[in-house]
């Protein structure tokens, strides 16, 4: 293994390591624009030039591989001079409109200018004017003046999505990024180009001008758009999610996520159920729990536990489902489960999965088998047949076609009791005898198990909307009201129990016993 | 036993005439009477009162006085503000609310769709003026923040703040033309 010296620090690195990586391992930052760890290396921005002893010219650190005994200096006078020159060159035609630019605050050009240049402009001539606010795709806008032509976006479309929409047109100071004639940047991952853009040239239409990035708080979370479970930075300001940004996880989503997933945050803030209601009248939690307990007890006496159905939601976290299972087996004493959740959607061979529920594998892990829950269409038939007279439903999603869903909503009138525990208002909330408001994944913590069986924890970002509570807390309150309290105080206790091997469980997927990240 | 340090104080001996306070009372009355007759002088410049006849006579503030905010205008009468949120970020009282929107003109690109200052919450520190990169907000009108009888009247919106604004000497965008 080659030994190299970076700024006097000697380290041993793998063969084929680039100088930039070796310097990073030694603890020195080499500034760079065009280099991205997931993309090919064009070495066109020249920001990463470093001095290598014995070489006449400065070497691009992102491209040059280390050799044994190499002596590298990333901070010498020549390097500093080159960095200043490169930044001055990039800024010649840059509009420096940071107050207007959405990237300000997370802009590499801004950061590097402060860290490596910070000299006044010597340019007195008028800057070259290029295209502004150009709709390069349905989700992305392009600003030619701010673009530093690092070609990260071009390489993303060539190498990651393999859709090849973008290229550089014109030459010299008139060069711009454009889509090929008759095409636009409309692949399913197009907003990733705005993420990897080191400056504010590509901006996401959805996030544009919505919030300054320095005001955002970031919470580590998981996208709920599909069963892939892309890791995200859930970025929020004043109790409202402003955007999702992919979080690096080589086992799941690398640096990327899809455009559709990014927009799923909107669901969190629309049509939320805010207060527990009993036949449409708002109640407080204490009163509503007493009412539910009373009604459930009466239903158990009248129709028997086996006619009570619990609709499980693959949108809920493992902790929620674990308590749902416990509530059903210990308190109601029923084992009649049905599978809720969203309907299947589109898929591709990269990140988007057809199963639009983040935690279907979680149900398998918690309930021990895939056949624990009956299909939803069966529930409609069972209500019609009278074998189900009480429905306790988690979340409003129905994995059936519109006709069956309408039939289900119609049949709800036949039920003795319909308890609806969900995030959103709608036809089901109106029909419900009892409607209980539930938090979204942004307002509670928990675990999702993705389609590969990787259990991933997500954190609570902000306070719950209205009086909503997480599913597991509602089950705790109901169990308490029914006189069979669960002995949990913290969600960690549920987590410990949930992933511990159970004597009654059949050997189930890889999620069993997988440590929470 | 602990020793206590003492310091002798020289007391001025007063006789019975001094102790009656009659000479001091007369002296005080003489000063008051002198000021009374001086401020009754028909020539007002000879008087020594500091009373301002507010609000009949308006107060003149010093040049750098910070008062009510105003939003400056572009040459064509549009708001100079580009909704960069620097002022609302630095505001220690958190009294500025801005919602940005896309402007029809791509050269302007961004403008404040909503710009509200809660003048009651404002602590008149002037940091918003210092933070503004394009001379869009000022507090130099020489008008102090008026008293309000209604809470809602203290919310100054964009158009109200622009009414009090004017043109700026600075070139928008900072480019020399």
């Amino acid at each position: 293994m080659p030994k190299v010296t970076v700024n006097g620090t000697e380290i041993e690195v793998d063969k084929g390591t680039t100088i930039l990586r070796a310097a990073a391992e030694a603890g020195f930052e080499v500034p760079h624009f065009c280099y991205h760890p997931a993309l090919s290396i064009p070495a066109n921005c020249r920001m990463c030039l470093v001095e290598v002893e014995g070489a006449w010219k400065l070497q691009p650190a992102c491209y040059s591989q280390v050799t044994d005994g190499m002596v590298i200096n990333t901070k010498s006078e020549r390097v500093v001079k080159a960095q200043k020159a490169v930044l001055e060159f990039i800024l010649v035609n840059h509009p420096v409109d940071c107050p207007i630019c959405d990237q300000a605050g997370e802009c590499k050009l801004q950061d590097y200018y402060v860290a490596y240049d910070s000299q006044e402009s010597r340019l007195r001539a008028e800057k070259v004017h290029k295209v502004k606010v150009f709709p390069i795709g349905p989700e992305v806008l392009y600003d030619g003046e701010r673009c530093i032509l690092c070609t990260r976006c071009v390489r993303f479309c060539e190498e990651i999505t393999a859709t090849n929409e973008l290229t550089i047109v014109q030459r010299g100071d008139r060069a711009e990024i454009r889509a090929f004639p008759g095409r636009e940047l409309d692949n399913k991952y197009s907003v990733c180009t705005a993420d990897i853009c080191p400056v504010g040239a590509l901006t996401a239409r959805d996030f544009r001008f919505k919030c300054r990035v320095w005001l955002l708080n970031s919470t580590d979370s998981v996208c709920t758009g599909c069963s892939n479970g892309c890791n995200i930075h859930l970025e929020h300001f004043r109790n409202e999610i402003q955007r999702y940004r992919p979080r690096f996880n080589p086992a799941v989503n690398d640096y990327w996520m899809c455009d559709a997933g990014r927009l799923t945050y909107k669901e969190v803030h629309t049509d939320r159920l805010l207060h527990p209601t009993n036949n449409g009248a708002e109640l407080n939690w204490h009163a509503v729990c007493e009412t539910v307990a009373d009604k459930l007890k009466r239903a158990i006496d009248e129709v028997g536990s086996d006619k009570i159905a619990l609709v499980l939601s693959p949108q809920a976290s493992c902790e929620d489902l674990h308590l749902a299972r416990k509530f059903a087996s210990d308190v109601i004493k029923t084992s009649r489960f049905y599978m809720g959740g969203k309907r299947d959607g589109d898929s591709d061979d990269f990140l988007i999965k057809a199963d639009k529920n983040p935690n279907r594998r979680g149900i398998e892990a918690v309930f021990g088998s895939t056949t624990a829950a009956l299909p939803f269409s069966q529930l409609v038939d069972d209500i019609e047949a009278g074998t189900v007279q009480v429905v306790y439903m988690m979340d409003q999603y129905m994995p059936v076609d519109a006709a069956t869903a309408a039939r289900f909503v119609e049949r709800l009138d036949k039920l003795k009791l319909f308890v609806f525990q969900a995030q959103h208002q709608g036809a089901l909330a109106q029909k419900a005898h009892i409607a209980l408001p539930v938090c979204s994944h942004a307002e509670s913590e928990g675990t999702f198990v993705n389609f590969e069986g990787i259990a991933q924890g997500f954190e609570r970002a902000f306070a719950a909307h209205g009086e909503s509570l997480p599913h597991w807390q509602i089950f705790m309150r109901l169990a308490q009201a029914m006189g069979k309290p669960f002995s949990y105080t913290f969600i960690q206790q549920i987590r410990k129990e949930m992933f511990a091997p159970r004597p009654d469980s059949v050997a189930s997927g890889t999620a069993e016993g997988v440590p929470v990240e | 036993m602990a020793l206590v340090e003492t310091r002798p104080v020289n007391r001025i001996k007063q006789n019975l005439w001094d102790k009656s306070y009659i000479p001091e009372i007369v002296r005080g009355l003489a000063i008051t009477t002198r000021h009374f007759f001086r401020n009754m002088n028909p020539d007002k410049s000879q008087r020594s009162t500091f009373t301002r006849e507010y609000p009949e006579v308006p107060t003149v503030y010093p040049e750098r006085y910070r008062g009510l905010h105003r939003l400056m205008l572009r040459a064509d009468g549009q708001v100079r503000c580009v909704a960069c949120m620097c002022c609302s970020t630095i505001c220690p009282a958190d009294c500025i609310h801005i919602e940005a929107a896309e402007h029809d003109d791509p050269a302007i690109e961004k403008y404040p769709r909503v710009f509200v200052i809660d003048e009651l919450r404002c602590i008149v520190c002037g940091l918003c003026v210092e933070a503004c990169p394009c001379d869009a907000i000022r507090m130099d009108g020489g008008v102090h923040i008026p008293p309000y009888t209604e809470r809602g009247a203290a919310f100054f919106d964009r158009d109200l703040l622009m009414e009090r604004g004017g043109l700026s000497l600075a070139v928008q965008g900072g480019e020399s033309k």
Side-chain angles (χ1 to χ4, degrees):
Chain A
M1 292 222 290
K3 263 191 187 159
V4 292
T5 313
V6 185
N7 296 351
T9 311
E10 196 171 297
I11 56 156
E12 206 169 319
V13 292
D14 292 333
K15 198 166 178 279
T17 310
T18 59
I19 295 176
L20 191 139
R21 290 256 179 184
E25 271 177 50
F28 297 101
E29 188 205 23
V30 178
H32 56 272
F33 289 112
C34 68
Y35 169 76
H36 189 280
L39 303 173
S40 62
I41 304 164
N44 65 17
C45 74
R46 300 276 128 182
M47 191 62 213
C48 65
L49 291 176
V50 293
E51 192 166 357
V52 177
E53 226 163 76
W56 280 98
K57 292 207 283 184
L58 298 176
Q59 302 292 313
C62 65
Y63 191 73
S64 324
Q65 291 180 358
V66 293
T67 53
D68 196 26
M70 199 180 238
V71 180
I72 301 154
N73 196 337
T74 68
K75 292 177 174 176
S76 74
E77 222 171 275
R78 269 178 82 197
V79 174
V80 170
K81 208 178 152 194
Q83 285 168 343
K84 285 197 174 208
V86 168
L87 279 170
E88 189 171 30
F89 176 67
I90 289 174
L91 286 166
V92 161
N93 284 320
H94 192 85
V96 204
D97 55 352
C98 304
I100 303 170
C101 180
D102 245 3
Q103 190 85 1
E106 55 179 3
C107 174
K108 286 186 109 183
L109 186 55
Q110 216 178 19
D111 295 348
Y112 289 160
Y113 172 77
V114 175
Y116 297 99
D117 189 15
S118 49
Q119 57 188 356
E120 245 180 61
S121 170
R122 291 184 288 167
L123 187 85
R124 293 292 170 266
E126 176 130 356
K127 296 189 174 191
V128 175
H129 289 289
K130 293 195 226 173
V131 67
K132 303 281 280 183
V133 205
F134 179 75
I136 201 159
E139 300 290 338
V140 184
L141 292 175
Y142 175 68
D143 187 302
E145 292 184 355
R146 289 180 202 146
C147 181
I148 61 166
L149 300 163
C150 69
T151 68
R152 273 186 182 187
C153 50
V154 177
R155 281 173 286 141
F156 173 82
C157 292
E158 279 170 7
E159 294 157 22
I160 306 296
T161 61
T163 42
N164 300 302
E165 290 104 338
L166 299 181
T167 187
I168 292 182
V169 295
Q170 302 279 21
R171 285 179 300 172
D173 60 4
R174 294 184 191 283
E176 284 175 7
I177 303 285
R178 279 297 160 85
F180 282 103
R183 301 197 60 181
E184 56 178 352
L185 181 60
D186 56 357
N187 63 55
K188 285 176 182 169
Y189 302 88
S190 63
V191 184
C192 289
T193 57
D195 280 339
I196 58 172
C197 183
V199 292
L202 292 169
T203 44
R205 227 184 255 259
D206 178 59
F207 182 65
R208 208 169 143 82
F209 302 158
K210 213 157 80 177
C211 185
R212 298 316 304 241
V213 294
W214 57 78
L215 299 172
L216 294 171
N217 289 310
S218 184
T219 306
D220 288 357
S221 191
V222 175
C223 176
T224 55
C226 74
S227 59
N228 196 58
C230 294
N231 290 210
I232 53 167
H233 296 283
L234 188 150
E235 297 191 315
H236 52 101
F237 176 58
R238 292 193 178 148
N239 285 5
E240 205 172 311
I241 305 174
Q242 303 292 330
R243 67 169 173 184
Y244 285 168
R245 204 158 52 81
R247 180 158 55 94
F248 176 59
N249 186 345
V252 179
N253 58 324
D254 216 6
Y255 294 91
W256 322 115
M257 75 182 290
C258 71
D259 294 354
R262 274 174 211 267
L263 296 178
T264 52
Y265 76 87
K266 295 196 169 174
E267 237 176 52
V268 172
H269 300 296
T270 41
D271 289 336
R272 283 289 295 268
L273 209 54
L274 295 176
H275 304 282
T277 56
N278 175 19
N279 290 324
E282 279 180 22
L283 285 179
N284 62 23
W285 272 110
H286 180 75
V288 86
C289 287
E290 294 296 328
T291 313
V292 175
D294 194 41
K295 287 189 174 182
L296 274 177
K297 270 183 201 162
R298 223 182 306 156
I300 292 169
D301 291 345
E302 274 177 33
V303 300
S305 296
D306 61 323
K307 289 196 173 166
I308 302 177
L310 186 63
V311 181
L312 302 171
S313 169
Q315 296 274 333
S317 70
C318 291
E319 288 82 350
D320 297 336
L321 293 163
H322 182 69
L323 281 209
R325 176 177 160 274
K326 223 173 140 136
F327 182 73
S329 63
D330 296 3
V331 182
I332 312 182
K333 301 201 178 2
T334 177
S335 56
R336 193 178 274 279
F337 298 114
Y338 295 90
M339 185 70 91
K342 285 186 186 171
R343 297 183 68 189
D344 281 3
D346 62 327
S347 66
D348 65 6
D349 51 4
F350 185 34
L351 295 177
I352 303 170
K353 299 288 172 288
D355 181 5
K356 296 297 171 200
N357 300 295
N359 203 26
R360 193 176 295 278
R361 286 294 292 268
I363 291 185
E364 287 173 28
V366 168
F367 283 81
S369 77
T370 46
T371 50
L374 301 165
F376 193 84
S377 50
Q378 178 80 39
L379 175 64
V380 187
D381 297 339
D382 286 351
I383 293 173
E384 275 173 7
T387 40
V388 168
Q389 299 202 359
V390 174
V391 172
Y392 192 111
M393 188 168 177
M394 289 169 79
D395 286 343
Q396 77 278 25
Y397 307 108
M398 291 176 273
V400 285
D401 56 69
T404 320
R407 226 173 82 216
F408 173 70
V409 174
E410 208 176 289
R411 292 295 176 276
L412 287 173
D413 295 334
K414 275 185 71 178
L415 293 172
K416 278 232 149 45
L417 176 63
F418 177 45
V419 184
F420 181 61
Q421 177 174 311
Q423 282 178 41
H424 297 283
Q425 293 180 338
L428 290 178
Q430 276 177 357
K431 287 257 180 183
H433 299 120
I434 308 274
L436 306 172
V438 175
C439 293
S440 68
H441 68 294
E443 299 143 58
S444 57
E445 53 187 322
T447 312
F448 287 144
V449 182
N450 84 344
F451 78 107
E452 281 179 314
I454 300 171
Q456 306 187 96
F458 56 91
E459 302 285 321
R460 180 174 184 266
F462 45 81
H465 279 297
E467 289 175 52
S468 58
L469 289 174
H471 284 293
W472 66 272
Q473 283 187 16
I474 299 175
F475 287 126
M476 294 251 300
R477 280 168 183 258
L478 289 180
Q480 170 96 38
M482 291 183 75
K484 288 170 188 165
F486 299 150
S487 58
Y488 305 107
T489 315
F490 303 109
I491 196 163
Q492 281 78 6
Q493 295 168 317
I494 304 176
R495 210 168 272 176
K496 226 178 190 175
E497 189 182 290
M498 171 177 82
F499 283 110
R502 284 190 310 271
D504 62 312
S505 75
V506 193
S508 62
T510 42
E512 199 73 44
V514 170
V516 177
E517 254 184 41
Chain B
M1 218 177 114
L3 283 172
V4 178
E5 253 184 56
T6 56
R7 195 161 44 125
V9 176
N10 292 326
R11 294 190 184 280
I12 298 163
K13 272 263 165 29
Q14 287 180 319
N15 56 23
L16 194 66
W17 176 240
D18 289 338
K19 277 179 183 171
S20 74
Y21 285 106
I22 287 167
E24 288 305 303
I25 289 168
V26 172
R27 202 156 71 89
L29 277 174
I31 291 170
T32 314
T33 318
R34 196 167 73 235
H35 275 278
F36 176 77
F37 282 108
R38 185 166 159 196
N39 288 335
M40 294 299 282
N41 196 328
D43 182 4
K44 281 187 180 174
S45 63
Q46 295 297 312
R47 294 181 184 177
S48 63
T49 50
F50 292 96
T51 314
R52 290 208 175 102
E53 303 291 330
Y54 184 81
E56 283 79 22
V57 182
T59 315
V60 178
Y61 290 118
E63 229 171 84
R64 292 173 63 190
Y65 174 81
R66 295 192 296 265
L68 207 57
H69 300 88
R70 58 191 191 130
L71 281 178
M72 306 301 282
L73 307 174
R74 290 169 195 262
D76 59 357
Q78 292 190 72
V79 68
R80 280 182 77 85
C81 173
V82 295
C84 72
M85 310 274 188
C86 284
C87 55
S88 66
T89 303
I90 201 151
C91 179
D94 204 7
C95 70
I96 307 176
H97 174 79
I98 305 170
E99 278 172 37
E102 187 99 41
H103 198 279
D104 295 335
D105 183 359
I108 297 176
E109 208 173 338
K110 195 179 176 190
Y111 80 105
R113 188 165 53 85
V114 175
F115 192 112
V116 181
I117 300 183
D118 182 352
E119 296 287 359
L120 262 187
R121 206 184 237 206
C122 172
I123 58 164
V124 213
C125 64
L127 284 176
C128 52
V129 181
E130 279 187 51
C132 183
C134 50
D135 189 25
I137 189 167
R138 289 200 193 173
M139 299 173 81
D140 63 351
V143 180
H144 61 242
I145 295 168
Y148 305 100
T149 49
E150 225 181 293
R151 184 70 182 94
F155 297 111
F156 275 48
D157 70 354
R158 191 190 64 180
D159 296 336
L160 196 61
L161 292 163
M162 277 168 71
E163 260 173 42
R164 311 178 12 78
L167 293 171
S168 167
L169 279 175
V171 180
Q172 188 91 31
E175 263 185 54
S176 48
K177 275 176 191 161

